[in-house]
Amino acid sequence: MSSSSAVIVRQAVILAGGQGSRLKPYTDTVPKVMIEISGRCIIDHQLDWLAEAGVTDVVVSAGHLSEVLIDHLSSRELPVRVRTVVEDQPLGRGGGLKYAGKQLPAPDEGWYALNGDIWTRFDLRGMTAYHRERQAVATIGLARPRMPWGVVELDELGRVTDFVESPPSPYPINGGVYAFSPRILDLLPDVGDHERTTFPSLAKERLLAGYPIEGYWRAIDTAKDLAEAAKELEALRSSLGD
């Protein structure tokens, strides 16, 4: 495998236009990406992570309470150059990706994209190396979130041998983090969802790869997710001696 340290993608898109209805009342006054985890907005965590991977330019696709997000981004010193775009009308996730992707500074280079409600830490450069080795047009970061229930383990005779609390799901899911080759822009829908159009077409052509996320991953969908993410961040800081 080629060295991930030599693989640097310098541009990214963050989809930050969601309503965040399941996070009300938090999202009554701020967009979902501005909800705080341990005193910092989700998007601030994301921008730091992208900068650590070598990204220098980010296009943020805003929607719900876009003016609040624009004020936030313009009021602080950022680790990357950020441009915010606002859709005149809802374009869907795939259309939003295409619209924002067209604003990237280097259209002939690859880029990352991530959903604005994902808080994660893993080797993005390793994902890019994986993506390029497979000559994929798109690579999906695959997460295995912990199940909300405990599970029961059985032996071959059907006898209970153990109880496991909230194990990782045995099935990988779309983790909302992508590595794209430049030609993805021509394949994304102008309006609609890339997961229903572009991705199935790429899969049939064997041009869609899946990269197992080895590291921290959590989607911030509910107040419980916020509380759990804050606890996990504190535990991580403690383990690093911060």
Side-chain angles (χ1 to χ4, degrees), residues 4-33:
S4 63
S5 63
V7 182
I8 299 178
V9 171
R10 302 194 182 276
Q11 52 187 7
V13 165
I14 297 176
L15 290 177
Q19 296 286 329
S21 56
R22 285 188 289 175
L23 276 164
K24 286 181 174 290
Y26 299 103
T27 50
D28 287 339
T29 54
V30 296
K32 194 174 183 180
V33 293

mmCIF file of all heavy atoms in Angstrom, residues 4-33:
data_model
loop_
_atom_site.group_PDB
_atom_site.id
_atom_site.type_symbol
_atom_site.label_atom_id
_atom_site.label_comp_id
_atom_site.label_asym_id
_atom_site.label_seq_id
_atom_site.Cartn_x
_atom_site.Cartn_y
_atom_site.Cartn_z
ATOM 1 N N SER A 4 0.217 6.696 3.201
ATOM 2 C CA SER A 4 -0.869 7.664 3.331
ATOM 3 C C SER A 4 -0.338 9.066 3.583
ATOM 4 O O SER A 4 -0.995 10.047 3.265
ATOM 5 C CB SER A 4 -1.823 7.253 4.460
ATOM 6 O OG SER A 4 -1.159 7.254 5.704
ATOM 7 N N SER A 5 0.886 9.161 4.128
ATOM 8 C CA SER A 5 1.426 10.484 4.416
ATOM 9 C C SER A 5 1.711 11.267 3.145
ATOM 10 O O SER A 5 1.823 12.487 3.169
ATOM 11 C CB SER A 5 2.716 10.358 5.249
ATOM 12 O OG SER A 5 3.711 9.671 4.520
ATOM 13 N N ALA A 6 1.844 10.559 2.004
ATOM 14 C CA ALA A 6 2.136 11.220 0.744
ATOM 15 C C ALA A 6 0.864 11.610 -0.007
ATOM 16 O O ALA A 6 0.932 12.219 -1.060
ATOM 17 C CB ALA A 6 3.003 10.318 -0.132
ATOM 18 N N VAL A 7 -0.284 11.216 0.522
ATOM 19 C CA VAL A 7 -1.546 11.454 -0.162
ATOM 20 C C VAL A 7 -2.285 12.580 0.547
ATOM 21 O O VAL A 7 -2.769 12.413 1.660
ATOM 22 C CB VAL A 7 -2.407 10.173 -0.173
ATOM 23 C CG1 VAL A 7 -3.705 10.427 -0.933
ATOM 24 C CG2 VAL A 7 -1.646 9.023 -0.795
ATOM 25 N N ILE A 8 -2.350 13.726 -0.096
ATOM 26 C CA ILE A 8 -2.995 14.881 0.523
ATOM 27 C C ILE A 8 -4.068 15.433 -0.413
ATOM 28 O O ILE A 8 -3.804 15.723 -1.573
ATOM 29 C CB ILE A 8 -1.976 15.984 0.858
ATOM 30 C CG1 ILE A 8 -0.928 15.469 1.848
ATOM 31 C CG2 ILE A 8 -2.677 17.206 1.430
ATOM 32 C CD1 ILE A 8 0.144 16.477 2.204
ATOM 33 N N VAL A 9 -5.270 15.560 0.095
ATOM 34 C CA VAL A 9 -6.362 16.230 -0.602
ATOM 35 C C VAL A 9 -6.525 17.589 0.063
ATOM 36 O O VAL A 9 -6.589 17.679 1.293
ATOM 37 C CB VAL A 9 -7.669 15.404 -0.507
ATOM 38 C CG1 VAL A 9 -8.852 16.193 -1.032
ATOM 39 C CG2 VAL A 9 -7.512 14.097 -1.285
ATOM 40 N N ARG A 10 -6.605 18.637 -0.718
ATOM 41 C CA ARG A 10 -6.550 19.984 -0.157
ATOM 42 C C ARG A 10 -7.886 20.715 -0.138
ATOM 43 O O ARG A 10 -7.939 21.876 0.274
ATOM 44 C CB ARG A 10 -5.517 20.817 -0.922
ATOM 45 C CG ARG A 10 -4.130 20.194 -0.874
ATOM 46 C CD ARG A 10 -3.059 21.159 -1.328
ATOM 47 N NE ARG A 10 -1.746 20.518 -1.324
ATOM 48 C CZ ARG A 10 -0.960 20.397 -0.256
ATOM 49 N NH1 ARG A 10 -1.379 20.868 0.901
ATOM 50 N NH2 ARG A 10 0.209 19.798 -0.329
ATOM 51 N N GLN A 11 -8.974 20.048 -0.550
ATOM 52 C CA GLN A 11 -10.261 20.742 -0.574
ATOM 53 C C GLN A 11 -11.386 19.811 -0.124
ATOM 54 O O GLN A 11 -11.286 18.584 -0.255
ATOM 55 C CB GLN A 11 -10.534 21.311 -1.959
ATOM 56 C CG GLN A 11 -10.410 20.311 -3.083
ATOM 57 C CD GLN A 11 -10.520 20.957 -4.462
ATOM 58 O OE1 GLN A 11 -10.561 22.182 -4.614
ATOM 59 N NE2 GLN A 11 -10.592 20.128 -5.500
ATOM 60 N N ALA A 12 -12.433 20.415 0.418
ATOM 61 C CA ALA A 12 -13.527 19.620 0.976
ATOM 62 C C ALA A 12 -14.822 20.419 0.963
ATOM 63 O O ALA A 12 -14.813 21.657 0.901
ATOM 64 C CB ALA A 12 -13.196 19.185 2.408
ATOM 65 N N VAL A 13 -15.927 19.690 1.037
ATOM 66 C CA VAL A 13 -17.258 20.267 1.164
ATOM 67 C C VAL A 13 -17.877 19.752 2.451
ATOM 68 O O VAL A 13 -17.756 18.564 2.775
ATOM 69 C CB VAL A 13 -18.155 19.888 -0.038
ATOM 70 C CG1 VAL A 13 -19.633 20.178 0.256
ATOM 71 C CG2 VAL A 13 -17.720 20.626 -1.294
ATOM 72 N N ILE A 14 -18.527 20.635 3.189
ATOM 73 C CA ILE A 14 -19.321 20.236 4.356
ATOM 74 C C ILE A 14 -20.778 20.576 4.067
ATOM 75 O O ILE A 14 -21.112 21.726 3.763
ATOM 76 C CB ILE A 14 -18.867 20.954 5.645
ATOM 77 C CG1 ILE A 14 -17.430 20.565 5.994
ATOM 78 C CG2 ILE A 14 -19.799 20.614 6.803
ATOM 79 C CD1 ILE A 14 -16.869 21.301 7.217
ATOM 80 N N LEU A 15 -21.651 19.559 4.133
ATOM 81 C CA LEU A 15 -23.086 19.771 3.949
ATOM 82 C C LEU A 15 -23.684 20.186 5.285
ATOM 83 O O LEU A 15 -23.798 19.379 6.204
ATOM 84 C CB LEU A 15 -23.756 18.495 3.441
ATOM 85 C CG LEU A 15 -23.424 18.087 2.000
ATOM 86 C CD1 LEU A 15 -24.095 16.763 1.662
ATOM 87 C CD2 LEU A 15 -23.860 19.164 1.010
ATOM 88 N N ALA A 16 -24.070 21.447 5.376
ATOM 89 C CA ALA A 16 -24.500 22.008 6.665
ATOM 90 C C ALA A 16 -25.883 22.645 6.596
ATOM 91 O O ALA A 16 -26.186 23.550 7.366
ATOM 92 C CB ALA A 16 -23.477 23.037 7.140
ATOM 93 N N GLY A 17 -26.728 22.158 5.688
ATOM 94 C CA GLY A 17 -28.009 22.812 5.491
ATOM 95 C C GLY A 17 -29.200 22.153 6.150
ATOM 96 O O GLY A 17 -30.330 22.630 6.016
ATOM 97 N N GLY A 18 -28.982 21.046 6.879
ATOM 98 C CA GLY A 18 -30.098 20.294 7.442
ATOM 99 C C GLY A 18 -30.886 21.048 8.502
ATOM 100 O O GLY A 18 -30.356 21.922 9.195
ATOM 101 N N GLN A 19 -32.161 20.675 8.639
ATOM 102 C CA GLN A 19 -33.043 21.323 9.616
ATOM 103 C C GLN A 19 -32.742 20.899 11.050
ATOM 104 O O GLN A 19 -32.981 21.656 11.989
ATOM 105 C CB GLN A 19 -34.499 20.990 9.290
ATOM 106 C CG GLN A 19 -34.980 21.527 7.964
ATOM 107 C CD GLN A 19 -35.223 23.023 7.987
ATOM 108 O OE1 GLN A 19 -35.586 23.571 9.024
ATOM 109 N NE2 GLN A 19 -35.021 23.675 6.866
ATOM 110 N N GLY A 20 -32.270 19.674 11.239
ATOM 111 C CA GLY A 20 -31.986 19.197 12.597
ATOM 112 C C GLY A 20 -33.219 19.102 13.463
ATOM 113 O O GLY A 20 -33.186 19.430 14.659
ATOM 114 N N SER A 21 -34.323 18.620 12.881
ATOM 115 C CA SER A 21 -35.603 18.607 13.602
ATOM 116 C C SER A 21 -35.570 17.735 14.853
ATOM 117 O O SER A 21 -36.244 18.031 15.840
ATOM 118 C CB SER A 21 -36.728 18.146 12.668
ATOM 119 O OG SER A 21 -36.443 16.884 12.105
ATOM 120 N N ARG A 22 -34.753 16.682 14.834
ATOM 121 C CA ARG A 22 -34.703 15.793 16.007
ATOM 122 C C ARG A 22 -33.855 16.376 17.142
ATOM 123 O O ARG A 22 -33.783 15.790 18.221
ATOM 124 C CB ARG A 22 -34.177 14.419 15.606
ATOM 125 C CG ARG A 22 -35.194 13.584 14.839
ATOM 126 C CD ARG A 22 -34.711 12.171 14.627
ATOM 127 N NE ARG A 22 -33.618 12.112 13.667
ATOM 128 C CZ ARG A 22 -32.948 11.000 13.369
ATOM 129 N NH1 ARG A 22 -33.231 9.865 13.980
ATOM 130 N NH2 ARG A 22 -31.980 11.018 12.468
ATOM 131 N N LEU A 23 -33.226 17.511 16.865
ATOM 132 C CA LEU A 23 -32.417 18.162 17.900
ATOM 133 C C LEU A 23 -33.051 19.445 18.415
ATOM 134 O O LEU A 23 -32.397 20.258 19.067
ATOM 135 C CB LEU A 23 -31.010 18.444 17.362
ATOM 136 C CG LEU A 23 -30.038 17.265 17.467
ATOM 137 C CD1 LEU A 23 -28.834 17.474 16.583
ATOM 138 C CD2 LEU A 23 -29.612 17.023 18.902
ATOM 139 N N LYS A 24 -34.324 19.644 18.122
ATOM 140 C CA LYS A 24 -35.031 20.779 18.709
ATOM 141 C C LYS A 24 -35.114 20.582 20.225
ATOM 142 O O LYS A 24 -35.191 19.445 20.679
ATOM 143 C CB LYS A 24 -36.435 20.882 18.103
ATOM 144 C CG LYS A 24 -36.455 21.408 16.684
ATOM 145 C CD LYS A 24 -37.874 21.496 16.154
ATOM 146 C CE LYS A 24 -37.908 22.149 14.783
ATOM 147 N NZ LYS A 24 -37.595 23.565 14.799
ATOM 148 N N PRO A 25 -35.036 21.643 21.033
ATOM 149 C CA PRO A 25 -35.062 23.058 20.664
ATOM 150 C C PRO A 25 -33.694 23.658 20.333
ATOM 151 O O PRO A 25 -33.607 24.837 20.050
ATOM 152 C CB PRO A 25 -35.639 23.712 21.917
ATOM 153 C CG PRO A 25 -35.119 22.870 23.032
ATOM 154 C CD PRO A 25 -35.114 21.458 22.503
ATOM 155 N N TYR A 26 -32.619 22.844 20.394
ATOM 156 C CA TYR A 26 -31.294 23.398 20.101
ATOM 157 C C TYR A 26 -31.270 24.088 18.737
ATOM 158 O O TYR A 26 -30.683 25.172 18.581
ATOM 159 C CB TYR A 26 -30.237 22.288 20.095
ATOM 160 C CG TYR A 26 -30.072 21.554 21.393
ATOM 161 C CD1 TYR A 26 -30.606 20.279 21.564
ATOM 162 C CD2 TYR A 26 -29.358 22.104 22.453
ATOM 163 C CE1 TYR A 26 -30.447 19.579 22.758
ATOM 164 C CE2 TYR A 26 -29.184 21.422 23.647
ATOM 165 C CZ TYR A 26 -29.737 20.149 23.794
ATOM 166 O OH TYR A 26 -29.575 19.467 24.966
ATOM 167 N N THR A 27 -31.892 23.450 17.740
ATOM 168 C CA THR A 27 -31.808 23.949 16.375
ATOM 169 C C THR A 27 -32.860 25.010 16.046
ATOM 170 O O THR A 27 -33.017 25.390 14.891
ATOM 171 C CB THR A 27 -31.924 22.773 15.381
ATOM 172 O OG1 THR A 27 -33.068 21.969 15.730
ATOM 173 C CG2 THR A 27 -30.684 21.916 15.432
ATOM 174 N N ASP A 28 -33.554 25.497 17.067
ATOM 175 C CA ASP A 28 -34.466 26.622 16.843
ATOM 176 C C ASP A 28 -33.698 27.923 16.634
ATOM 177 O O ASP A 28 -34.185 28.848 15.983
ATOM 178 C CB ASP A 28 -35.428 26.796 18.029
ATOM 179 C CG ASP A 28 -36.493 25.709 18.081
ATOM 180 O OD1 ASP A 28 -36.750 25.081 17.031
ATOM 181 O OD2 ASP A 28 -37.054 25.490 19.167
ATOM 182 N N THR A 29 -32.500 27.992 17.199
ATOM 183 C CA THR A 29 -31.734 29.246 17.153
ATOM 184 C C THR A 29 -30.387 29.121 16.446
ATOM 185 O O THR A 29 -29.799 30.135 16.067
ATOM 186 C CB THR A 29 -31.488 29.777 18.576
ATOM 187 O OG1 THR A 29 -30.875 28.741 19.362
ATOM 188 C CG2 THR A 29 -32.804 30.181 19.230
ATOM 189 N N VAL A 30 -29.882 27.892 16.291
ATOM 190 C CA VAL A 30 -28.620 27.697 15.573
ATOM 191 C C VAL A 30 -28.761 26.504 14.629
ATOM 192 O O VAL A 30 -29.544 25.593 14.893
ATOM 193 C CB VAL A 30 -27.427 27.436 16.537
ATOM 194 C CG1 VAL A 30 -27.159 28.637 17.414
ATOM 195 C CG2 VAL A 30 -27.642 26.176 17.362
ATOM 196 N N PRO A 31 -28.028 26.497 13.514
ATOM 197 C CA PRO A 31 -28.047 25.321 12.641
ATOM 198 C C PRO A 31 -27.400 24.131 13.348
ATOM 199 O O PRO A 31 -26.628 24.298 14.299
ATOM 200 C CB PRO A 31 -27.251 25.761 11.421
ATOM 201 C CG PRO A 31 -26.386 26.866 11.900
ATOM 202 C CD PRO A 31 -27.149 27.555 12.987
ATOM 203 N N LYS A 32 -27.717 22.947 12.864
ATOM 204 C CA LYS A 32 -27.249 21.719 13.503
ATOM 205 C C LYS A 32 -25.728 21.688 13.686
ATOM 206 O O LYS A 32 -25.217 21.250 14.719
ATOM 207 C CB LYS A 32 -27.699 20.524 12.664
ATOM 208 C CG LYS A 32 -27.595 19.176 13.327
ATOM 209 C CD LYS A 32 -28.211 18.113 12.424
ATOM 210 C CE LYS A 32 -28.209 16.746 13.068
ATOM 211 N NZ LYS A 32 -28.805 15.715 12.196
ATOM 212 N N VAL A 33 -24.991 22.182 12.687
ATOM 213 C CA VAL A 33 -23.529 22.121 12.761
ATOM 214 C C VAL A 33 -22.945 23.042 13.819
ATOM 215 O O VAL A 33 -21.755 22.951 14.123
ATOM 216 C CB VAL A 33 -22.879 22.455 11.399
ATOM 217 C CG1 VAL A 33 -23.193 21.390 10.382
ATOM 218 C CG2 VAL A 33 -23.286 23.830 10.917
#
